[in-house]
């Protein structure tokens, strides 16, 4: 079954939201990514056809945004923010920790298929850096200790209580 | 776009005052006073993007530097482009670009014509960056186009050109920031129109042509400005050569009628002339085989045989056929040679295959043999109507004019085409259409009739036409009443409402241009379709309105010239009817002789006469009737029956292989002359290389033969023939930058409205008979492919890499119906013959239709019946109903 057939209703709903057809591109790419964990070539072609775009135009959009994957990723997709704010408070160190603990660099996955690492642009949690997003969840104000606990939790239970909701409010400055 | 009425503003640039229309960009205003502001991403054809930041200038009272490419001028603006601040800004932008640009100029094909190289030299720019330069993974890009992304300055001109001008959208900037690279789709090699636009527009060496990779430096090359020989658009191109070697073709921005744009055929198709199989020596048939001889032997042999045959059977036992790819000078001399030295009126050219239909319709209705519009009128049109053009593939550059009119100038587009509007690897004009009538080519005429019917029924006719010519309007009205909307809807599958909407748009617009393409012109309804389109213009009062007109698109580069040189049997030079006695007298006087009085035979009639033995000899120049005509015409048997067949050719074609004498001719890259393009613009052809081997320009051969036949037509060079043409034919006197189209001849229009229309009114507007197509069959159409034109392009190695063989294009739904996938083999059979071929599934092909590219069509052509138009004698063999079967 093709991607468009499989998600017929959801796609129809998304298309109905946009007066300009091509505006539905990113929402549809999310659907495709949810299906396979990454956007497949055939999904790109189907979406291009649906929106009357050429496949290169769809491909261009996917490569611009870090939240779309063009190859399979692990069960837990670690996305460390590398933008300026996080970099100032040590995102490089976080990446190094992950490298040591999991043995993977940006763009790589662990052999067991559990973890993948990406470095991404700003995730709008600048007050609480360094931070990362794993799948849909934010983990903020990272320390080495916290990172260890997160990874252990994820390995054992598949989730971690350290996740901070949509995002953590900056703690009030103590005077 | 600026119009003459636009408000003018006065601005200062580096102390110089310049008056320009309001809205002009600063960079363009500066160019007018000779100030070149450095830039990468700006290009006059593209919308400003201001991404390279190279064109920064100082503008008084504006606090920061501004990009000259995106700032429109305003009254009193004072721009400075040469201050220290500006200079420093340019330098620092260059420094950023050079941070990543590899210094591989010694191995870069752009070296010597590179903007970055020039600016670096100008600003002595160096980069202080010591970090490692970015390195992209090198990937195979395409057979014809090479990318070296490390050199890219990310100006995105290629991407924008591909989208804005070509409407192909095959290129995309992939990734982000410094690591942005230009790619097609993922790891797939490029699949597109291969217009070469990205190669031409790249300011650096990031995108280059693989056909000339590592072969030259620009300063080693000799350049010739000439006209492309692949279609009627008549694009100006610069052919670059090293000695006898053809290296590269390009076209400068602003050059010619194409404004520097080319298509795949023009840009990558130039190698046909240097193909190793070119004929280099005259050949004579001896004991059944063609053997090499000298020119003297060959010409004397021809002259002797001509004298014998002429003495025995007279001049009218000769016939001549010439290709519309020859120059005007050659076409002219050919018909003069046949009419004067031989004494026959049996003359025809490739214009007979379709262009004659458009021409005769124009002559009958509006009294002209040329368009009354130009490419500029297409650009300025309010409504464009395309009928059976498949314009992207047949006349790609005229297609660009249509795209520009629709995309940039808001023209409304009405298309009657056998095309599904889908996005695929090539641009598709139906995607831009506002009123698209998807109709099989064989039913095109019904759709035109539908528009005319809607015009009449909705009272969209010009108000005073009914008063001035009531009989015409009444005759039309009653003829169309007999055609019911039900029948039209059944035949076309289109709702009456759609016709009414389109008719209202066309009738309500000020400037309407109708273009008829090959698919209509070469069809059985070619002539009547053109007349009906002219009826449409007449009824709505657009025929003689400024900016309005009918534009049949020429297939061969000089079909229009063939008509105007009198190289079809019914016309004298100047496209005057052969029956026009004053013209005959005038021409005979100038030629100092008598014109033959017999009524000439057209191509098919000549072949028929050859078959029955009344035609004894033929001269065939650059044409291949054996390969082009369907089996039912029996061209081969007819030509074998001749006592003398002389062929002038570049290659040993199926026809030349039957000849008694084969004379090697020079290609259009090897000779001087002129071509007349589809809009009637006469343009100079100049040699880029010397004639290959012992080949000679065709006119020299006619001239030499005429001397041997004792009616000398001596010319020292082709310019002397042009001089003679000028004295005979008005419109060839000056070769200006833009054509001056003729005006509609009102006496001809009146004649048409009074009784001219009656001749075939009944045959054009008759009730539609319903014919159903049996199951298991498809409608086969011989169609032009973008990558080929005629038979020469199939000798071009560049084009063969894109499309190396003929594949049957079918629609996805037919593929499903016949259980076929890409590359499967099918057998097609009709009542006339059968063939086996591979299929290629293309979404743009409508269901029930299959296209086969005509340039590989030798086998396919056997499947077609041939219908001959009773008035224009155009043989039509482009559509057939065939049954299709999968074979292992």
């Amino acid at each position: 079954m093709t991607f468009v057939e499989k998600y017929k209703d959801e796609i129809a709903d998304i298309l109905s939201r946009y007066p300009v057809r091509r505006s539905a591109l990113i929402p549809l790419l999310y659907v495709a990514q949810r299906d396979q964990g990454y956007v497949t070539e055939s999904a790109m072609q189907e979406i291009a056809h649906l929106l009357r775009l050429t496949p290169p135009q769809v491909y261009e959009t996917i490569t611009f945004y870090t939240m779309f994957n063009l190859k399979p990723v692990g069960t837990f997709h670690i996305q460390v923010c590398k933008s300026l704010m996080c970099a100032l408070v040590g995102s490089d160190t976080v990446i190094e920790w992950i490298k040591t603990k999991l043995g993977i660099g940006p763009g790589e996955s662990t052999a067991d298929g559990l973890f993948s690492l990406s470095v991404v642009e700003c995730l709008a949690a600048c007050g609480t850096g360094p931070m990362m997003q794993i799948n849909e969840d934010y983990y903020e104000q990272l320390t080495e200790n916290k990172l260890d606990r997160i990874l252990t939790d994820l390995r054992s239970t598949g989730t971690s209580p350290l996740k901070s909701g949509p995002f953590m409010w900056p703690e009030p400055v103590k005077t | 776009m600026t119009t003459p009425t636009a408000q003018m503003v006065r601005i200062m640039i580096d102390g110089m005052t310049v008056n320009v229309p309001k809205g002009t960009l600063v960079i363009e205003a500066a160019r007018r006073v000779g100030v070149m502001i450095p830039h990468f991403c700006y290009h006059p054809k593209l919308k400003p993007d201001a991404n390279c930041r190279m064109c920064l200038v100082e503008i008084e009272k504006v606090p920061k530097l501004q990009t000259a490419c995106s700032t429109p001028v305003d009254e009193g603006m004072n721009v400075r482009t040469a201050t220290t601040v500006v200079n420093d800004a340019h330098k620092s932008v260059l420094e950023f670009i050079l941070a990543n640009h590899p210094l591989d100029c010694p191995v870069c094909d752009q070296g010597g014509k590179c903007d970055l190289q020039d600016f670096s030299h100008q600003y002595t720019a160096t980069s202080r960056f010591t970090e490692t330069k970015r390195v992209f993974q090198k990937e195979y890009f395409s057979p014809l186009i090479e990318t070296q992304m490390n050199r890219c300055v990310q100006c995105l001109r290629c991407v924008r050109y591909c989208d804005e001008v070509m409407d192909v959208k095959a290129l995309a900037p992939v990734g982000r920031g410094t690591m942005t690279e230009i790619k097609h789709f993922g790891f797939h090699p490029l699949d597109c129109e291969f217009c070469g636009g990205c190669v031409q527009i790249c300011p650096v060496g990031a995108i280059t042509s693989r056909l000339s990779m590592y072969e030259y430096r620009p300063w080693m090359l000799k350049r010739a400005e000439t006209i492309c020989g692949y279609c009627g658009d008549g694009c100006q191109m610069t052919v670059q050569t090293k000695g006898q070697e053809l290296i590269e073709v390009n076209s400068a921005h602003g050059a010619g009628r194409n404004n520097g744009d080319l298509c795949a055929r023009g840009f990558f198709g130039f190698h046909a002339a240097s193909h190793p199989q070119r004929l280099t020596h005259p050949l004579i048939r001896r004991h059944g085989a063609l053997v090499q001889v000298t020119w003297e032997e060959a010409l004397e042999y021809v002259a002797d045989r001509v004298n014998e045959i002429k003495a025995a059977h007279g001049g009218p036992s000769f016939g001549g056929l010439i290709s519309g790819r020859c120059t005007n000078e050659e076409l002219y001399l050919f018909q003069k040679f046949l009419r004067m030295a031989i004494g026959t009126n049996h003359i025809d050219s490739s214009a007979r295959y379709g262009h004659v239909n458009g021409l005769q319709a124009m002559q009958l209705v509006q009294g002209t043999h040329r368009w009354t519009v130009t490419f500029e009128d297409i650009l300025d049109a309010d409504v464009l109507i395309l009928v059976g053009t498949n314009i992207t593939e047949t006349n790609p550059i005229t297609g660009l004019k249509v795209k520009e009119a629709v995309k940039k100038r808001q023209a409304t587009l009405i298309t009657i085409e056998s095309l599904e509007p889908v996005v695929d690897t090539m641009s598709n004009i139906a995607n831009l259409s506002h009123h698209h009538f998807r109709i099989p080519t064989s039913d095109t005429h019904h759709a035109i009739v539908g528009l005319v019917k809607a015009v009449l029924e909705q009272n969209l006719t010009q108000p005073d036409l009914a008063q001035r010519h009531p009989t015409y309007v009444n005759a039309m009205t009653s003829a169309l009443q007999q055609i019911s909307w039900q029948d039209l809807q059944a035949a076309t599958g289109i709702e009456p409402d759609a016709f009414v909407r389109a008719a209202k748009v066309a009738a309500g617009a000020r400037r309407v241009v109708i273009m008829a393409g090959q698919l209509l012109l070469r069809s059985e309804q070619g002539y009547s379709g053109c007349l009906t389109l002219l009826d449409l213009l007449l009824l709505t009062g657009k025929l003689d309105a400024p900016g309005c007109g009918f534009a049949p698109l020429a297939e061969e580069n000089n079909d229009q010239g063939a008509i105007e040189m009198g190289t079809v049997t019914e016309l004298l030079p100047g496209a005057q009817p052969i029956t026009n006695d004053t013209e005959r007298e005038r021409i005979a006087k100038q030629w100092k002789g008598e014109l033959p009085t017999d009524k000439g035979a057209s191509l098919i009639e000549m072949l028929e006469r050859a078959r029955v033995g009344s035609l004894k000899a033929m001269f065939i120049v650059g044409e291949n009737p054996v390969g082009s005509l369907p089996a039912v015409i029996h061209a081969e048997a007819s030509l074998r029956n001749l006592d003398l067949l002389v062929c002038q050719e570049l290659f040993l074609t199926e026809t030349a292989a039957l000849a008694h004498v084969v004379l090697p001719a020079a290609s259009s890259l090897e000779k001087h002359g002129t071509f007349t393009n589809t809009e009637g613009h006469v343009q100079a052809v100049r040699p880029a290389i010397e004639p290959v081997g012992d080949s000679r320009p065709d006119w020299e051969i006619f001239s030499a033969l005429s001397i041997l036949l004792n009616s000398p037509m001596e010319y020292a060079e082709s310019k002397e023939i042009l001089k003679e043409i000028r004295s005979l034919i008005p419109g060839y006197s000056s070769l200006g930058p833009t054509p001056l189209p003729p005006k509609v001849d009102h006496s001809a229009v009146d004649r048409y409205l009074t009784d001219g229309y009656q001749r075939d009114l009944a045959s054009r507007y008759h009730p539609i008979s319903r014919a159903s197509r049996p199951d298991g069959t498809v409608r086969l159409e011989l169609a032009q492919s973008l990558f080929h034109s005629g038979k020469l392009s199939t000798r071009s190695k560049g084009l063969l890499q894109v499309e190396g063989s003929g594949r049957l294009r079918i629609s996805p739904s037919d593929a499903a119906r016949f259980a076929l996938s890409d590359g499967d083999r099918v057998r097609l059979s009709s009542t006339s013959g059968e063939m086996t071929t591979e299929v290629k599934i293309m979404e743009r092909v409508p269901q029930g239709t299959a296209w086969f590219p005509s340039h590989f069509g030798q086998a396919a052509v056997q499947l077609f019946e041939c219908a001959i138009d009773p008035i224009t004698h155009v043989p039509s063999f482009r559509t057939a109903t065939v049954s299709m079967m999968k074979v292992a």
Side-chain angles (χ1 to χ4, degrees):
Chain A
M1 189 158 54
T2 64
F3 162 70
V4 171
E5 284 165 10
K6 191 167 167 190
Y7 294 94
K8 203 165 140 266
D9 298 336
E10 190 173 354
I11 289 172
D13 176 52
I14 291 171
L15 289 178
S16 73
R17 283 184 240 154
Y18 299 96
V20 177
R21 217 169 156 78
R22 61 187 290 169
S23 308
L25 177 55
I26 286 179
L28 290 181
L29 289 174
Y30 271 124
V31 178
Q33 174 147 305
R34 197 177 66 217
D35 185 47
Q36 298 281 325
Y38 71 106
V39 187
T40 61
E41 200 181 291
S42 61
M44 282 191 256
Q45 269 162 340
E46 283 182 58
I47 292 172
H49 195 260
L50 199 63
L51 302 181
R52 300 178 63 75
L53 298 170
T54 61
Q57 289 177 304
V58 175
Y59 185 67
E60 164 190 358
T61 310
I62 296 176
T63 58
F64 183 85
Y65 293 106
T66 52
M67 65 267 197
F68 293 117
N69 310 316
L70 279 167
K71 53 182 188 185
V73 288
T75 318
F76 304 107
H77 184 197
I78 308 172
Q79 301 148 66
V80 181
C81 170
K82 61 149 193 191
S83 284
L84 183 64
M85 297 306 159
C86 286
L88 288 174
V89 291
S91 58
D92 284 355
T93 329
V94 176
I95 294 166
E96 282 306 314
W97 288 333
I98 296 174
K99 236 183 213 168
T100 339
K101 290 172 205 308
L102 298 176
I104 51 171
E108 292 172 357
S109 301
T110 53
D112 56 9
L114 269 185
F115 295 101
S116 296
L117 174 63
S118 304
V119 291
V120 302
E121 297 299 340
C122 187
L123 292 168
C126 303
T128 53
M131 63 80 64
M132 63 185 181
Q133 179 183 347
I134 297 181
N135 295 349
E136 307 290 300
D137 304 315
Y138 274 24
Y139 298 87
E140 292 156 275
Q141 289 177 333
L142 296 171
T143 60
E144 187 163 13
N145 185 16
K146 220 166 160 180
L147 181 71
D148 280 335
R149 279 170 54 202
I150 297 167
L151 294 181
T152 319
D153 289 346
L154 289 178
R155 275 211 180 87
S156 53
T157 64
T159 179
S160 168
L162 289 173
K163 64 183 173 194
S164 40
F167 56 87
M168 186 191 282
W169 288 106
E171 283 166 39
V173 181
K174 283 174 192 133
T175 46
Chain B
M1 207 48 206
T2 52
T3 53
T5 52
Q7 190 194 336
M8 299 297 280
V9 293
R10 173 199 289 260
I11 67 163
M12 297 273 280
I13 292 173
D14 289 345
M16 287 173 281
T17 308
V18 53
N19 289 302
V20 289
K22 194 176 172 160
T24 308
L25 299 167
V26 170
I27 200 167
E28 280 298 319
R31 197 199 294 266
R32 294 210 186 170
V33 286
V35 174
M36 211 286 279
I37 300 172
H39 59 269
F40 294 105
C41 75
Y42 173 74
H43 194 279
K45 279 193 186 125
L46 309 174
K47 287 182 215 145
D49 205 39
N51 67 45
C52 75
R53 317 308 291 172
M54 191 63 199
C55 65
L56 292 169
V57 292
E58 246 183 301
I59 299 176
E60 201 174 79
K61 293 181 190 147
V62 182
K64 285 184 180 175
L65 296 180
Q66 300 294 308
T67 47
C69 74
S70 62
T71 312
V73 296
D74 213 340
E75 184 62 42
M77 211 178 232
N78 187 359
V79 181
R80 281 187 296 268
T81 72
T83 63
T84 321
V85 180
V86 170
N87 210 43
D88 284 353
H90 290 174
K91 254 187 173 168
S92 59
V93 170
L94 268 184
E95 194 176 350
F96 273 114
I97 290 173
L98 289 175
N100 269 318
H101 190 84
L103 298 179
D104 62 349
C105 303
V107 292
C108 175
D109 276 342
Q110 195 81 357
K113 53 175 183 177
C114 172
D115 288 354
L116 182 56
Q117 207 177 36
D118 293 348
F119 295 146
S120 302
H121 186 251
Q122 189 181 338
Y123 291 93
T124 52
T126 48
S127 187
R128 280 168 290 173
F129 286 89
T130 50
E131 287 83 357
T132 324
K133 295 188 185 223
R134 68 172 180 192
V135 178
F136 289 110
Q137 186 90 40
K138 182 91 180 70
E139 276 159 16
Y140 177 77
F141 192 62
S142 99
L144 295 175
I145 299 173
E146 172 78 352
T147 56
Q148 182 48 268
M149 275 302 133
N150 295 341
R151 296 176 189 149
C152 177
V153 295
Q154 302 174 340
C155 67
L156 302 187
R157 273 210 242 177
C158 49
V159 176
R160 288 148 61 214
Y161 183 86
C162 198
D163 173 8
E164 292 175 29
V165 177
M166 298 304 298
D167 201 41
V168 175
K169 306 177 187 96
L171 298 176
V174 163
R176 187 158 21 127
T178 319
M179 294 309 288
T180 307
E181 60 179 316
I182 308 304
K183 275 197 165 185
H184 180 52
F185 177 45
F187 300 106
H188 295 274
L190 181 66
D191 185 5
C192 69
E193 282 190 21
F194 292 101
C195 68
C198 48
V199 178
Q200 290 213 70
I201 212 163
C202 183
V204 294
I207 306 184
T208 50
S209 165
R210 281 174 78 106
L211 290 185
S212 53
M213 219 167 31
Y214 306 138
E215 276 189 13
Y216 71 98
R217 288 289 170 204
W219 55 85
M220 297 169 163
L221 301 180
K222 202 180 82 189
R223 292 171 184 78
E225 295 289 328
T226 188
I227 301 299
C228 177
Y230 279 123
C231 82
D233 289 345
C235 297
Q236 187 175 322
M237 58 183 198
T238 311
V239 182
Q240 316 209 31
T241 52
K242 207 163 73 179
Q244 268 293 83
E245 206 182 336
L246 295 163
I247 302 290
E248 194 183 54
V249 164
N250 50 32
S251 184
H253 168 66
R257 304 300 297 152
N258 50 321
N259 193 14
D261 297 311
L262 290 173
C263 70
R265 305 192 287 252
F267 197 80
F268 291 112
F270 56 92
H271 276 120
S274 54
H275 192 277
Q277 287 173 354
R278 268 289 293 273
L279 294 170
T280 52
H281 293 92
L283 306 170
I284 288 187
R285 185 168 303 278
R286 281 191 186 137
H287 312 295
L290 286 167
V291 293
Q292 189 176 319
V293 292
T294 62
W295 271 105
E296 288 71 21
E297 281 178 84
L299 291 174
E300 274 166 23
Y301 176 81
V302 173
D304 289 347
R305 292 290 291 134
V306 167
N307 281 329
E308 283 166 34
I309 296 169
K310 201 173 156 185
H313 306 283
S317 61
F318 288 80
L321 174 67
I322 190 166
S323 163
R325 295 186 185 275
C326 293
T327 62
N328 285 320
E329 290 74 3
E330 291 163 343
L331 291 161
Y332 171 81
L333 198 57
F334 183 64
Q335 58 86 31
K336 185 179 173 189
F337 170 77
L338 286 170
R339 285 181 169 136
M340 300 303 290
I342 305 281
T344 179
N345 254 333
H346 306 323
I347 302 164
D348 219 337
S349 73
S350 56
R352 177 70 59 197
Y353 287 125
H355 201 59
V356 165
N357 276 334
L359 162 98
Q360 295 229 2
M362 285 197 290
Q363 279 197 327
L364 178 68
V365 180
Q366 61 185 29
T368 75
H369 54 268
R370 277 187 186 178
W371 295 8
T372 56
V373 287
T374 62
F375 285 162
E376 282 74 16
D377 293 309
I378 296 177
L379 291 174
D380 290 339
D382 299 318
V383 169
L384 287 166
I385 306 178
L386 265 56
V387 185
T389 61
N390 190 16
I391 201 159
T392 303
E393 300 200 70
T394 56
N395 296 69
I397 302 302
T398 314
L400 292 187
K401 312 284 174 197
V402 176
K403 289 174 194 171
E404 186 178 338
V406 177
K407 290 176 73 165
K408 295 196 178 150
R409 304 186 182 200
Q410 283 73 48
T412 305
L413 180 62
I414 300 171
T415 47
I416 301 176
E417 301 275 351
S418 174
L419 270 178
E420 283 296 342
V422 290
V423 177
D424 57 15
T425 56
M426 276 193 270
S427 65
N428 183 335
I429 204 73
N431 285 336
L432 295 177
S433 177
H434 302 89
H435 300 269
H436 179 50
F437 298 87
R438 184 187 55 67
I439 285 167
T441 303
S442 43
D443 294 335
T444 305
H445 190 246
H446 301 320
I448 311 172
V449 169
L451 286 179
V452 176
K453 186 173 166 72
V455 164
L456 283 166
E457 288 187 1
Q458 300 291 317
N459 280 327
L460 300 169
T461 46
Q462 197 196 14
D464 64 338
L465 186 70
Q467 283 158 23
R468 285 187 294 123
H469 296 282
T471 46
Y472 169 72
V473 176
N474 292 340
M476 290 286 285
T477 311
S478 62
L480 281 152
Q481 268 164 2
Q482 291 167 30
I483 304 171
S484 71
W485 280 118
Q486 286 84 356
D487 284 351
L488 272 174
Q489 188 170 350
T492 60
I494 309 245
E495 301 268 334
D497 260 5
F499 288 112
V500 171
R501 279 196 302 274
K504 279 185 176 160
V505 167
R510 211 162 46 88
R511 304 168 74 96
V512 181
V513 177
I514 299 185
M515 278 174 264
Q518 246 181 60
L519 297 172
L520 176 68
L521 295 171
R522 295 194 67 156
S523 75
E524 212 177 325
Q525 286 86 30
Y527 178 59
S528 52
C530 289
L531 283 178
T532 312
L533 288 170
L534 286 159
D535 275 339
L536 183 66
L537 284 173
L538 255 178
L539 288 169
T540 50
K542 311 282 183 214
L543 190 70
D544 53 356
C548 296
F550 174 62
L553 300 170
E555 178 174 350
E556 310 269 9
N557 51 319
N558 208 16
D559 271 350
Q560 184 64 29
I563 299 271
E564 296 180 4
M565 293 303 118
T567 329
V568 286
T569 182
E570 63 267 46
L571 297 177
L572 292 169
Q576 296 296 330
I578 192 106
T579 47
N580 182 334
D581 286 333
T582 44
E583 276 300 306
R584 286 177 68 93
E585 252 170 58
R586 187 174 74 93
I587 288 166
K589 201 170 145 202
Q590 197 141 5
W591 285 351
K592 301 187 180 70
E594 287 292 311
L595 289 178
T597 48
D598 62 313
K599 186 181 168 298
S602 70
L603 166 62
I604 303 296
E605 291 162 336
M606 276 192 268
L607 291 173
E608 174 59 21
R609 287 183 195 193
R611 199 176 63 79
V612 299
S614 62
L615 196 79
K616 301 288 180 193
M618 269 189 94
F619 292 90
I620 297 185
V621 182
E623 269 298 306
N624 180 9
V626 177
S628 322
L629 286 167
V632 288
I633 299 293
H634 304 294
E636 184 173 345
S638 304
L639 294 178
R640 278 188 191 280
N641 224 8
L642 291 171
D643 292 344
L644 176 66
L645 174 60
V646 182
C647 282
Q648 292 174 210
E649 256 301 349
L650 301 183
F651 297 98
L652 199 66
T653 60
E654 292 90 335
T655 304
L658 305 176
H660 300 96
V661 183
V662 181
L663 303 172
S667 79
S668 66
L669 292 180
E670 296 149 35
K671 59 193 175 191
H672 281 283
T674 55
F675 285 155
T676 306
N677 82 344
T678 183
E679 51 173 347
H681 192 39
V682 187
Q683 308 185 90
V685 175
R686 300 182 184 87
I689 50 174
E690 293 295 315
V692 170
D694 280 351
S695 67
R696 289 195 196 182
D698 293 295
W699 69 265
E700 281 189 28
I701 305 173
F702 308 138
S703 180
L705 279 173
S706 72
I707 294 165
L708 293 173
L709 292 171
N710 278 330
S711 51
M713 300 168 190
E714 279 183 87
Y715 305 91
E717 52 178 353
S718 73
K719 268 205 181 115
E720 288 186 7
I721 310 177
L722 183 62
K723 246 185 230 167
E724 187 174 318
I725 295 173
R726 281 177 177 161
S727 69
L728 266 179
I729 307 173
Y732 279 75
S733 47
S734 64
L735 313 182
T738 46
L740 283 171
K743 293 260 185 297
V744 168
D745 175 358
H746 284 102
S747 58
V749 178
D750 282 336
R751 270 199 306 279
Y752 176 74
L753 288 172
T754 320
D755 57 16
Y757 69 89
Q758 287 168 351
R759 184 170 64 176
D760 39 24
L761 189 75
S763 67
R764 284 191 285 132
Y765 299 104
H766 58 79
I768 299 161
S769 56
R770 290 188 202 187
S772 64
R773 204 159 34 77
D775 275 350
T777 64
V778 289
R779 223 183 259 107
L780 179 66
E781 294 178 3
L782 265 190
Q784 167 139 27
S785 146
L786 171 62
F787 303 112
H788 289 285
S789 168
K791 298 283 192 281
L792 282 187
S793 63
T794 51
R795 315 266 182 178
S796 158
K797 65 179 179 193
L799 297 174
L800 285 175
Q801 285 185 63
V802 187
E803 187 178 14
S805 63
R807 289 200 290 170
L808 186 77
R809 306 180 189 176
I810 58 169
S811 72
S813 49
D814 285 324
R817 189 156 65 101
F818 291 93
L820 295 167
S821 49
D822 255 335
D824 280 352
R825 295 189 69 79
V826 290
R827 182 182 299 121
L828 302 176
S829 43
S830 74
T831 44
S832 313
E834 64 171 41
M835 75 174 289
T836 314
T837 180
E838 261 180 34
V839 299
K840 180 180 182 189
I841 300 170
M842 282 185 89
E843 288 187 86
R844 60 176 56 207
V845 182
Q847 189 194 351
T849 302
W851 297 341
F852 196 81
S854 53
H855 345 280
F856 298 103
Q858 268 97 337
V861 97
Q862 310 310 334
L863 298 170
F864 295 90
E865 298 284 333
C866 188
I868 293 158
D869 191 289
I871 294 166
T872 61
H873 306 287
V874 168
S876 163
F877 48 90
R878 303 289 272 192
T879 54
T881 300
V882 297
S883 65
M884 187 159 77
M885 239 173 57
K886 188 173 173 177
V887 291

